[in-house]
Each structure stands twice: as C-alpha cells, then as structure tokens.
Amino acid sequence: MYELDCHGVIPGCERVIRAESQAEVMRRAVTQAKQLGVETISQRMMDAFRDGTHETVKH
C-alpha cells in the first residue's frame, strides 16, 4: 500500500490518498488537484506527488 498526505502538496487538500500502487496514488492525486481547482499540473507538482508518496507497512 502506498500513501500521500496531500496537505501542503495540493492547495486546499486535507486528505491522505491511499492506493495499492504508486502509479495509482499519482493518478488519484492528479484527480484530487483538478477537483480542487488546479487547472495545470506542473512538473514541480508531479515531483512533489512522487516525493511525498511512501510505502506503508502492512501488519
């Protein structure tokens, strides 16, 4: 499982995005950003998504 705390990465976002793959977290982050009014996803924002995504430990 991977997750991204989008607070501070996507303006106005206060949630944690979780998915089974890093690619799915990225896709959901882009969708979330667009829903919150971000019209253009810059390379800098994509890098922030990638850098902020981490694998969680399964119990």
Side-chain angles (χ1 to χ4, degrees):
M1 179 73 69
Y2 291 83
E3 67 180 32
L4 167 67
D5 181 353
C6 67
H7 177 76
V9 178
I10 301 170
C13 186
E14 298 294 331
R15 63 184 290 231
V16 176
I17 298 168
R18 294 182 180 91
E20 289 297 321
S21 70
Q22 186 173 13
E24 181 62 14
V25 169
M26 299 284 287
R27 187 192 71 73
R28 291 179 185 185
V30 168
T31 299
Q32 181 68 35
K34 289 183 177 181
Q35 289 175 346
L36 291 171
V38 177
E39 293 181 21
T40 303
I41 308 298
S42 66
Q43 185 60 49
R44 178 183 232 171
M45 186 174 278
M46 290 299 290
D47 291 343
F49 293 164
R50 194 173 298 104
D51 293 344
T53 300
H54 63 275
E55 191 167 7
T56 60
V57 177
K58 292 184 180 182
H59 297 282

